[in-house]
C-alpha cells in the first residue's frame, strides 16, 4: 500500500530536513527566523554543528558571536526524565567547549536551547516560555550560561482564533505549520516567505523515498 505524503513537521526526520543544511538558503532562513524571534538574538550567519551521523533529534548551530543554540522537537509526552535529559544536553554542550590549559572565558560560549513541545504548561499559558537562572527576587544570575525556551505548539491555535492566519507574523505562521502541517488555509496564503519555504521543503522531502521511509519508521518508533 502506498504511504500517504508526509506532512507532520513534528516528526524528527522532517524537522531536521527543514533546518539541517546551513548551505541551503531556505534552511538558513528558517534557522535565523527561529533564533531571532524566539531568543531575540540577531545573527547574520548560522553554522550547523551536527555531524552526518546525527541525522535524528536536535539541531545544534553556532552563530556569529560564538553562542551555541540547540533546537529540539519533542513529539512525545514531556516527562520528568525528558526534562532531565534536556538539562543534561545543555550541560553537555557547556562541558564540550572546555579546553585544557585555557581559561573558561576563552573557550566557553553561552548555550541557548529552543525546545518545541506539543503540550501546554497550564501554569504558563503563552507561546514561548523562557527560563534562566534567577534568585528568589527574580534577578537573573550574572553571567548565566544556559537559557532554555519552550515553544508550546498547541498555543498557536489560540493565537489563530484571536487574529486569524492572515494577520499572523512569519514566526507565528512557522509555528502554526509545525503544529498543524500544510493545510488548506495555509495553502491559500501566497505572500508569506515562510509558507513558500515550508511548502517547498515539504514537496522536496516527499520526492525522496529514502527520507519518507525514515519518516515513517521514526513515527513508528522503529529507530
Amino acid at each position: 500500500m502506498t504511504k500517504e505524503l508526509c506532512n507532520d513537521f513534528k516528526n524528527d526526520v522532517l524537522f531536521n530536513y527543514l533546518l539541517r543544511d546551513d548551505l541551503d538558503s531556505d534552511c538558513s532562513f528558517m534557522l535565523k527566523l527561529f533564533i531571532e524571534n524566539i531568543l531575540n538574538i540577531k545573527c547574520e550567519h548560522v553554522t550547523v554543528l551536527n555531524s552526518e551521523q546525527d541525522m535524528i533529534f536536535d539541531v545544534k548551530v553556532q552563530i556569529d558571536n560564538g553562542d551555541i543554540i540547540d533546537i529540539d522537537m519533542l513529539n512525545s509526552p514531556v516527562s520528568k526524565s525528558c526534562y532531565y535529559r534536556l538539562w543534561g544536553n545543555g550541560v553537555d554542550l557547556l562541558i564540550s567547549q572546555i579546553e585544557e590549559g585555557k581559561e573558561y572565558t576563552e573557550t566557553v560560549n553561552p548555550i541557548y536551547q529552543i525546545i518545541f513541545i506539543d503540550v501546554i504548561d497550564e501554569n504558563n499559558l503563552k507561546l514561548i516560555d523562557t527560563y534562566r537562572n534567577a534568585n528568589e527576587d527574580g534577578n537573573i544570575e550574572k553571567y548565566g550560561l544556559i537559557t532554555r525556551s519552550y515553544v508550546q505548539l498547541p498555543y498557536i491555535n489560540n493565537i489563530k482564533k484571536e487574529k486569524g492566519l492572515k494577520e499572523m507574523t512569519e514566526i507565528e505562521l512557522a509555528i502554526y505549520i509545525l503544529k498543524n502541517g500544510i493545510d488548506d488555509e495555509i495553502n491559500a496564503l501566497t505572500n508569506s516567505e515562510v509558507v513558500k519555504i515550508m511548502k517547498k521543503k515539504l514537496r522536496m522531502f516527499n520526492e525522496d523515498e529514502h527520507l519518507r521511509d525514515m519518516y515513517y519508521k521514526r513515527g513508528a518508533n522503529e529507530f
Side-chain angles (χ1 to χ4, degrees):
M1 182 174 68
T2 303
K3 294 174 180 175
E4 294 181 1
L5 294 179
C6 308
N7 191 32
D8 185 1
F9 283 90
K10 297 187 296 299
N11 182 288
D12 290 325
V13 183
L14 179 51
F15 183 71
N16 263 258
Y17 184 76
L18 178 67
L19 302 177
R20 184 63 177 273
D21 185 1
D22 54 26
L23 298 179
D24 181 302
S25 60
D26 292 334
C27 290
S28 292
F29 179 94
M30 296 303 300
L31 284 167
K32 287 190 281 188
L33 179 81
F34 290 140
I35 292 167
E36 293 182 353
N37 289 276
I38 294 171
L39 300 177
N40 294 315
I41 298 175
K42 289 292 183 183
C43 57
E44 291 296 325
H45 304 285
V46 290
T47 302
V48 174
L49 302 177
N50 298 73
S51 68
E52 287 300 317
Q53 288 72 38
D54 300 331
M55 179 59 202
I56 310 301
F57 306 124
D58 53 341
V59 178
K60 298 178 181 68
V61 302
Q62 191 162 32
I63 59 176
D64 316 83
N65 64 0
D67 291 354
I68 295 174
I69 298 161
D70 189 27
I71 307 174
D72 208 345
M73 171 64 76
L74 301 184
N75 193 17
S76 60
V78 187
S79 63
K80 180 178 179 180
S81 175
C82 183
Y83 280 112
Y84 277 30
R85 177 179 69 79
L86 293 170
W87 269 99
N89 287 349
V91 172
D92 286 345
L93 285 170
L94 283 178
I95 294 173
S96 68
Q97 299 179 75
I98 297 173
E99 295 183 26
E100 188 174 354
K102 292 187 178 181
E103 292 289 336
Y104 283 14
T105 52
E106 293 181 68
T107 63
V108 176
N109 294 286
I111 301 298
Y112 295 85
Q113 293 173 274
I114 298 174
I115 304 154
F116 295 93
I117 57 176
D118 200 20
V119 294
I120 296 179
D121 181 351
E122 294 300 326
N123 295 317
N124 296 284
L125 299 177
K126 58 181 69 174
L127 183 61
I128 300 169
D129 193 19
T130 297
Y131 294 85
R132 304 177 184 88
N133 285 342
N135 66 10
E136 59 185 10
D137 297 319
N139 296 316
I140 302 298
E141 183 179 14
K142 187 180 293 185
Y143 307 124
L145 289 173
I146 298 181
T147 300
R148 187 173 295 103
S149 293
Y150 294 95
V151 182
Q152 304 189 105
L153 295 176
Y155 195 81
I156 196 65
N157 291 329
N158 295 354
I159 294 175
K160 182 204 171 189
K161 289 179 182 178
E162 292 172 4
K163 58 197 299 188
L165 282 182
K166 291 182 180 179
E167 299 302 320
M168 288 168 69
T169 64
E170 291 287 82
I171 184 64
E172 289 171 342
L173 286 172
I175 294 171
Y176 178 88
I177 295 172
L178 290 180
K179 171 60 182 172
N180 300 290
I182 304 290
D183 58 23
D184 290 340
E185 290 182 274
I186 285 293
N187 270 319
L189 299 179
T190 58
N191 296 321
S192 165
E193 188 66 21
V194 161
V195 172
K196 292 176 184 176
I197 288 173
M198 295 183 78
K199 286 174 64 175
K200 175 184 173 183
K201 297 295 285 186
L202 185 63
R203 184 183 69 252
M204 293 171 64
F205 186 91
N206 275 295
E207 290 172 352
D208 189 315
E209 289 295 329
H210 177 64
L211 287 174
R212 289 182 64 198
D213 187 55
M214 292 176 65
Y215 172 102
Y216 281 103
K217 286 182 178 178
R218 182 63 183 166
N221 294 315
E222 294 180 12
F223 270 83

